[in-house]
Each structure stands twice: as C-alpha cells, then as structure tokens.
C-alpha cells in the first residue's frame, strides 16, 4: 500500500530539520513526490532493481566505512586490540556509538535511489526477490535444477522508507519535545489510511490520542519515579541492591529490636599476591555519633573529597613514598558507576585501576567513579595511612552517653593509661564480660535517660559489631584518647590465595590514635565468635548461588574490560576467518572449475563442427585478420574484396548463411543442407589454395 500524497516529502523535511540535513531532505522529498506530477516512467526489470539494491547496499557499506574512519574508529579499535583495558574499551565504544549515530542519520540518503526507482517505475511495486537474498537463492536454485520457479511476490517500500526516515530523525541533538510531537503528527497521517473501517474515525482518533498521552506522560513519569526512588530509601528497598557505605554518614542498627539479617551475596573478591589476606577492607571512617548515626562531618556533604591524579592511566599513589610489603587484588562493584573502594589498611598505591575519577577525603575514604566493576592491585603495609591527624573532633562524646561511659572508664581505670594499655583493657573487658548477638529484645524497665548504648554497656552486654565498635570509640574518647569509627568488610572466607567477601561480612571497628607515632591503628573489640555465628546462616544451596555469582562476575569482567577474554576471542577468530576465506576462494573456485569441466564434457553446442571455421582460419592465414568486435559478415565482405577472391563473393555469402543457420537456428539444417555446407566449404577451400594466375606480357 502506498503512503498518502506528500507524506514522504514532509517526513523527509522533518528528518532534515531534526538531523541538520534540511537541504538533502528537501531535495530527496521533491524528487520522490515529483513522481506524482511527472508521468514518464521507466521499464525497470527485476535485474535492474537488483542492481539498484546492490548499489544502495554498497553505498551503505561505504558510508559505514566513512563514518567509522571520520569518528576515530580505527584508532579506538587499534588501541583496544593493542592494550585491552577499560580506557581503550571506552574509546572504542565511543567511536562505535558515534559511527552508529552518523550511519543512522544518513539512512534516508543511502536508500533514496531505491525509493525513487519505485516511484518512477512503471511497475509501482518491487519484486521481493530483488531485495531478499533467500528468495533470490531459491530462484537461482530452481533455475539450476530445472524446476518451476517459486511464487513471485511484490512489495511497496514506501511505508518501510517512511519508518526508516522516522528512525533516522530520532538520532537528533535537540533537547526538546519537537521530535515527539512531529512523530505523533506524521504517525497519525501515515496510519490514518490503514485504520480499521469497522470503527468510527472519532473512536480511532480517541485511541490514538490516548496512546500519545500515555507515551508523553509515561516518558516524563519514568524520570520522576527515578528521582523519587533516588531520594527514598526505605528498609524494604535495601535488600534489592548491594549494600555499600556512604562517605558522609552511616546509620547503625543500634537500638533496633529483633534480629539483624544480612545477605550471603558475594560483594568483593580478594586474591593475595604474597602472604595472608588483609584482615579487613576499610571503606570509610566517621567522627560524630548522634542517636543511631555516625557521620564524617557536622555538615554532611562530599565536598571534603579531592581528586587523586594518576601517575599513568591506571596507577594512583595514595601515600607518597610509603614502603609497602604486600599486594592484594581486589574486585568490587561500583553501584551506578560510583562507590567507595574497600581497601586494606595502610594502602599506599593502587595499580591497574580503570577509573574515571579517583578522590579521597581526610578520613581515609577513597571514592571511585568508573565502570560498574573494577579489579585493581592494592599495595599496603604498616605505617602511615590516608587519614588526617587527630584533632579535637576525635574526642567528641554525645552528652547523653557520658554517664554510662564514665562509669565504665572509672571501673576499668582507663584514664591515664596509654593508648596501647587502654586498648588491651577494653578488649579484655569485652571478651570476658560481653557476648556477640544479632538479636536485641525490648527492655522491661527502661528509664528516660537510658540509651541503647548505655543499656548495652551496663545491662545486656550483648550485641553486634556496631555496638562494640561504637562503645570502644566512645570509651577511648571518654578517657581522652582520640578514636574514630571505621566500617568495611572482614576478609576470612577462602582457600589458597583467593577469598570472597559477603554482604554479611560487613563490619565495624575502631581506629585509635597513637600519639607517639602519629599513626592510626585498628582496634576490633568484637568477639571473634561473630564469624562463626554469621557462617551458620549459609543456605543448603549456597554453593549453587555462589556458582551463579561466579558466572555473573566473570561476565561482568568481560563486559567491563577487566579480563583478557576479548583478546583471546580475537585471536580465536583468526583461524575461523582463515578457514572461511579458504572456502570462499579455493573451494568455490574448484567447484566452478568442476562445473565448467562437466559442462564442457556433457554439453555439445550445435554448430561447433561447422566447416566454415576451417575457411575462416585459411582466410586469416592469407593476411585477412578479423578485427576486434567486427561482425563475421562484415569481415567476410571485406575479405572478398581481394581480387583473388572476387569469384568467391557470392559462394562465401551463401556459405555464411548456411553456417549461421547451422550454428544458431533452433531447427538447424536439413541433411541435404548439411551436405551442401560441407561441399561448398570444401570447394571454397580448394579455390583459395589454387595459385594465382599471372598475366603474360
């Protein structure tokens, strides 16, 4: 079915307006719509349409090559092949995206000749086999086997070209609603002739308008929902994403009643290069405690972060001139391309980190922006860390907690002890008087001044790591020893040099300031039994879930350019392409030669044994060569003009007529005529061989 009048012309103008090719859209639209005014038509055969389609295909390939080269495609791909990593992958992907965008915008120009061929053809529809390789193959196969050809179908390509123009117009740079409303108008115009006649025009218009409204408000509604979910973080949504820490604050479960449940999902993978794994991977540390929340600064923001510039594309120095003795490979996910990195304590340098931006704050947190999966080498060791020196904020104690804290400090005689002594005292106090538990029950006799932390210290003496870490930090501060609250993951599950870190391994501990060395050191007061208790939550099908996690991890490595699989795949393609090239060049040629030999042996073309060919050779030997592309009749007439052959002019012409009939006439020669051809040819040869008589003086 043809498109309505002027629809293609207006659509081409719309395409030109949206993509910046308005002159081209105007010219192509005028040429296509001009067929309605120009009555002259061309008689295109099936072979002509095939040639035009082949030409458009070649133009498409040439446009693809031009777009690829003009958008730095070769440089991007070459860089990726030479050094496959995230940066080269990003460059190659960007070049490919620009190439695809350019090529889509050019599609109406690439196939304009084909739509014009239909518009100016006397047939008005195009045989489907001219553009379908499958139908064309079936036709040739039937012809080769002497079978009846398959049914022929014709197609009107005006509507497909209309859709092609709209698709090309969708790749535009304008950030407004002009494309949406133009698309709606053109779709209504194009679909109106195709509407179901059993419904009234008003019903059709109402349903079409409803579709437009749903499309418009649905598109804008998705953005509002995304923004809403980005600001709304209820507990029931937390289980659907990977739990990562916020550099500005972390809300603890202190005071939460019931049992704390953590997922068994693997969130980090660690592979050691030398020695045992790091005991913990820290993501952030905090200074201020209020209610249930630890925060980094009083004004919660990320302005405290400043960029770390790489020494090369993938190496970042966190602590200059820091001696490091161990290296661990850490693989972690960056939620939505941005997250804190879990780092071993004392990390001084990061290698092979494919990140866009790396930044750190004064509390030792390192923020990475990049692909959704990063795999890097962390070099670490004892000594200086990223953390800023202690100040008065690291002695801050919430007023509501001071009473219970002072009672414990006095009981343990912490005031006046050094940091090392205080840490040993508190650790012994926790190990002998406290137990680890993820369950918290309600208090029967809770007074107004009692807090969840004071209840933990004085009454229940049972809790999880957040209780122990918070109590440890505040007890040290109450004893005038600077301390900070740190969060991250404990590393303990693995075999050999490979370890996995699950979401349930999220942990909290203390950082204690050593005044004599000016270095922060870890202090974990949580009883070590917590690891065994958490491991009991493993499901019976945990091995299956871990296997799936491994599969998704390997796929993510391949997807985000963190593995060498792509290089191996590229090398594996070489023999496959070589085999394909061999089959195309050599086996096809052998098949062609074999078919040609069979044709030469099995087909006896009529007229090849004509005696006229001997006469032709004789005349050529007399110095009468036949010119290139010269018809046989013209050459014979020119040869008979030689005085010695004057008597053979008429017999040669008669002989040529018999030869033509013998060679090309489907009915051939009668037996008498065949004898006549043989006899006349022999007579002419005899006369040509006779010596030329010389006149006497």
């Amino acid at each position: 079915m043809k498109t309505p009048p002027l629809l293609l012309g207006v659509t081409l103008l719309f395409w030109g307006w949206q993509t910046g090719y308005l002159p081209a859209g105007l010219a192509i639209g005028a040429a296509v719509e001009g067929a309605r005014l120009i009555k002259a038509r061309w008689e295109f055969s099936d072979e002509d349409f095939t040639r035009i389609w082949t030409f458009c295909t070649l133009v498409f390939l040439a446009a693809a090559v031009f777009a690829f080269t003009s958008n730095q495609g070769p440089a991007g791909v070459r860089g990726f092949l030479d050094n496959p990593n995230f940066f080269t992958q990003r460059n190659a992907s960007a070049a490919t995206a620009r190439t695809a965008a350019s090529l889509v915008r050019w599609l109406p120009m690439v196939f304009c000749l084909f739509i014009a061929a239909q518009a100016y053809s006397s047939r008005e529809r195009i045989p489907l086999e001219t553009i379908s390789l499958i139908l064309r193959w079936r036709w040739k196969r039937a012809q080769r086997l002497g079978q009846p050809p398959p049914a022929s179908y014709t197609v009107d390509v005006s509507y497909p070209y209309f859709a092609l123009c709209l698709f090309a117009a969708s790749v535009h740079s304008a950030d407004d609603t002009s494309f949406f409303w133009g698309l709606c108008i053109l779709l209504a115009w194009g679909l109106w002739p195709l509407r179901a006649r059993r419904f009234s025009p008003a019903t059709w218009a109402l349903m079409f308008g409803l579709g437009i409204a749903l499309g418009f408000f649905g598109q804008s509604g998705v953005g509002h929902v995304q923004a809403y979910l980005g600001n709304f973080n209820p507990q029931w949504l937390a289980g659907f994403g990977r739990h990562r820490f916020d550099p500005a604050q972390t809300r603890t479960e202190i005071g939460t009643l019931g049992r704390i449940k953590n997922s068994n999902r693997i969130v980090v993978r660690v592979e050691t290069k030398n020695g045992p794994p790091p005991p913990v991977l820290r993501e952030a540390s905090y200074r201020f405690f209020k209610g249930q929340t630890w925060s980094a600064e009083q004004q919660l923001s990320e302005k405290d972060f400043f960029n770390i510039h790489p020494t090369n594309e993938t190496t970042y120095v966190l602590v200059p001139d820091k001696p490091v003795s161990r290296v661990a490979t850490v693989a972690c996910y960056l939620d939505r391309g941005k997250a804190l990195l879990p780092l071993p304590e004392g990390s001084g340098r990061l290698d092979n980190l494919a990140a866009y931006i790396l930044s750190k704050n004064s509390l030792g947190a390192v923020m990475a922006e990049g692909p959704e999966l990063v795999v890097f080498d962390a070099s670490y060791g004892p000594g200086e860390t990223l953390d800023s020196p202690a100040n008065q904020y690291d002695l801050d104690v919430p007023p509501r907690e001071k009473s219970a804290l002072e009672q414990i400090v006095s009981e343990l005689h912490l005031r006046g002890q050094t940091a090392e002594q205080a840490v040993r005292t508190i650790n012994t106090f926790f190990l002998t008087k406290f137990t680890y538990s993820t369950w918290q029950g309600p208090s029967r006799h809770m007074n107004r001044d009692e807090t969840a932390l004071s209840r933990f210290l004085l009454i229940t003496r049972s809790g999880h790591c957040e209780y122990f870490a918070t109590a440890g930090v505040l007890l040290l501060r109450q004893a005038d020893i600077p301390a900070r609250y740190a969060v991250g993951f404990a590393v303990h599950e693995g075999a050999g040099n490979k370890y996995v870190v699950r979401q349930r391994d999220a942990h909290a501990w203390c950082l204690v300031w050593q005044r004599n060395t000016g270095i922060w050191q870890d202090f974990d007061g949580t009883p070590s039994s917590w690891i065994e208790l958490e491991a009991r939550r493993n499901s019976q099908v945990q091995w299956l879930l871990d296997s799936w996690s491994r599969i998704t991890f390997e796929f993510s490595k391949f997807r985000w350019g963190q593995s060498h699989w792509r290089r191996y795949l590229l090398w594996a393609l070489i023999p496959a392409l070589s085999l394909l090239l061999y089959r195309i060049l050599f086996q096809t040629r052998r098949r062609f030669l074999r078919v040609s030999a069979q044709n030469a042996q099995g087909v006896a073309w009529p007229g090849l044994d004509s005696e006229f060919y001997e006469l032709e050779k004789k005349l050529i030997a007399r110095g009468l060569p036949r010119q290139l592309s010269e018809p046989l009749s013209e050459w014979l007439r020119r040869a008979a003009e030689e005085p010695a052959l004057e008597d053979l002019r008429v017999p040669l012409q008669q002989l040529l007529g018999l030869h033509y009939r013998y060679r090309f006439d489907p009915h051939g020669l009668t037996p008498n005529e065949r004898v006549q051809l043989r006899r006349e040819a022999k007579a002419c040869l005899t006369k040509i061989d006779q010596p030329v008589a010389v006149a006497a003086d």
Side-chain angles (χ1 to χ4, degrees), residues 611-644:
E611 291 75 12
F612 184 84
Y613 290 118
E614 298 181 13
L615 185 61
E616 181 183 11
K617 293 179 181 178
K618 182 66 68 173
L619 292 175
I620 293 175
R622 288 177 59 93
L624 299 171
R626 183 180 174 186
Q627 302 298 325
L628 185 65
S629 302
E630 184 179 14
L632 192 59
S633 58
E634 284 295 321
W635 169 74
L636 196 59
R637 184 190 58 79
R638 183 168 56 82
E641 291 179 354
E642 185 179 350

Side-chain angles (χ1 to χ4, degrees), residues 176-300:
D176 52 30
T177 60
S178 60
F179 172 77
F180 177 80
W181 295 115
L183 176 67
C184 294
I185 294 172
L186 292 173
L187 283 178
W189 189 356
L191 295 178
W192 176 258
L194 304 178
R195 70 187 188 279
R197 303 298 178 178
R198 63 178 181 273
F199 298 108
S200 64
T203 302
W204 185 90
L206 178 63
M207 297 305 296
F208 188 80
L210 180 62
I212 292 176
L214 290 175
F216 181 79
F217 291 108
Q219 180 184 13
S220 59
V222 169
H224 291 300
V225 170
Q226 289 177 340
Y228 177 73
L229 292 179
N231 297 322
F232 185 62
N233 188 27
Q235 289 286 337
W236 63 271
L237 277 179
F240 290 97
R242 297 182 177 91
H243 173 72
R244 301 303 294 268
F245 296 102
D246 190 315
Q249 66 175 1
T250 180
R251 182 177 177 83
T252 69
E253 297 293 339
I254 295 177
T256 301
L257 300 181
R259 186 175 302 279
I260 299 175
K261 295 183 179 180
N262 288 322
S263 170
N264 290 329
R265 183 190 303 115
I266 297 174
V267 293
V268 181
R269 296 178 184 270
V270 179
E271 181 177 350
T272 59
K273 301 293 185 181
N274 50 358
V280 291
L281 301 174
R282 197 210 317 174
E283 287 200 354
S285 62
Y286 307 95
R287 279 176 169 164
F288 302 98
F289 180 70
K290 183 177 182 182
Q292 293 179 286
T293 303
W294 277 97
S295 57
E297 301 293 343
Q298 291 177 330
Q299 299 295 328
L300 303 181

Side-chain angles (χ1 to χ4, degrees), residues 22 47 63 75 85 101 152 188 219 243 287 291 346 351-352 358 371 379 404 514 593 645:
L22 188 58
E47 193 64 27
N85 57 54
S152 179
Q219 180 184 13
H243 173 72
R287 279 176 169 164
D351 296 300
N352 303 317
L358 196 72
S379 301
Q514 305 292 329
L593 294 176
L645 301 177

